[in-house]
Amino acid sequence: MGNEKKEHHPAAPMVAGIMGGAVSTVSLFPLDLIKVRFQANEDPGYRTKGFRRRTMLRTMGQVFRHEGLVGLYQGLAPALIGSAASWGGYFFLYEGMKKELLHLKHEASPHDETEHKLGALENFGAACSAGAVMVLLTNPVWLIKTRMQLQMKNVMKERERDGLSMKRPYNNMSDAVRTIVREEGPLALYK
């Protein structure tokens, strides 16, 4: 009785991945925004203040001061969609591939009464395959997320008022997709 394996619903890994991805993304998003800004050197006021050691807290404060609380969550929608889709899809594909591999093992030796298990290499292959599929499917979402994180709407508006022309910020995720495809072509979503 204690030896029986309980089967879970086929969608359970996907739902767990979606929920885990969404919760971690919302919780840690301001840190991701600061990381992306550090990587792109897009810290508001960085060049005008002269050399000053940049820290996460100082940069977060500058984003908050120049862009408000909303600025710390610039690009959250694509991040949520990307994370939920990536993790949900990954676990769904990974578990499905493992199940299919076990099925193939059982078919190869149907009279073997021992329990079939996957080896490390088979698990590794399933994990790599699931990961590769999800990277291919979600790369456009990550590109859009990064571009939205790098736009500083309030700073752009201030510079525009001062007579400096800047590229128009994206209004939302679908505007970003349309603009990127129109101005750079569809393959630009896979940069």
Side-chain angles (χ1 to χ4, degrees):
M1 197 148 152
N3 235 3
E4 294 175 22
K5 277 184 141 181
K6 185 178 178 186
E7 285 289 316
H8 60 263
H9 191 277
M14 181 176 66
V15 171
I18 289 170
M19 296 304 294
V23 168
S24 66
T25 298
V26 171
S27 303
L28 300 172
F29 193 77
L31 296 176
D32 185 56
L33 178 110
I34 299 306
K35 174 200 74 165
V36 169
R37 297 256 176 115
F38 272 3
Q39 289 171 337
N41 201 17
E42 291 288 336
D43 189 2
Y46 175 68
R47 290 176 193 89
T48 60
K49 289 182 181 174
F51 180 78
R52 208 171 151 194
R53 187 166 169 247
R54 292 172 27 180
T55 65
M56 282 184 50
L57 286 176
R58 183 176 291 135
T59 303
M60 196 172 286
Q62 288 174 339
V63 170
F64 184 76
R65 212 170 13 269
H66 291 280
E67 301 172 61
L69 183 62
V70 173
L72 291 171
Y73 288 90
Q74 186 65 38
L76 179 63
L80 266 174
I81 291 168
S83 186
S86 290
W87 287 112
Y90 171 81
F91 284 115
F92 179 77
L93 290 174
Y94 176 61
E95 291 297 326
M97 287 178 193
K98 287 189 338 183
K99 191 173 184 176
E100 189 59 33
L101 287 170
L102 282 171
H103 179 73
L104 291 172
K105 266 189 160 183
H106 180 71
E107 279 187 350
S109 55
H111 302 296
D112 186 357
E113 294 293 323
T114 61
E115 183 181 1
H116 296 283
K117 291 184 178 182
L118 296 180
L121 198 56
E122 293 159 319
N123 275 302
F124 179 72
C128 288
S129 298
V133 168
M134 293 318 301
V135 165
L136 182 68
L137 293 175
T138 60
N139 191 75
V141 178
W142 299 122
L143 176 108
I144 291 162
K145 175 204 74 114
T146 301
R147 291 210 182 167
M148 289 180 78
Q149 284 180 313
L150 291 175
Q151 65 184 8
M152 299 177 286
K153 289 182 179 180
N154 292 341
V155 173
M156 288 176 171
K157 287 176 189 173
E158 288 173 19
R159 290 183 181 169
E160 216 170 76
R161 276 188 300 235
D162 295 340
L164 302 170
S165 67
M166 295 187 74
K167 189 174 179 170
R168 177 186 70 82
Y170 305 121
N171 293 322
N172 53 42
M173 195 172 162
S174 60
D175 179 46
V177 172
R178 282 191 306 273
T179 304
I180 292 167
V181 170
R182 182 180 63 247
E183 293 178 1
E184 303 172 50
L187 290 178
L189 294 170
Y190 284 91
K191 284 185 176 180

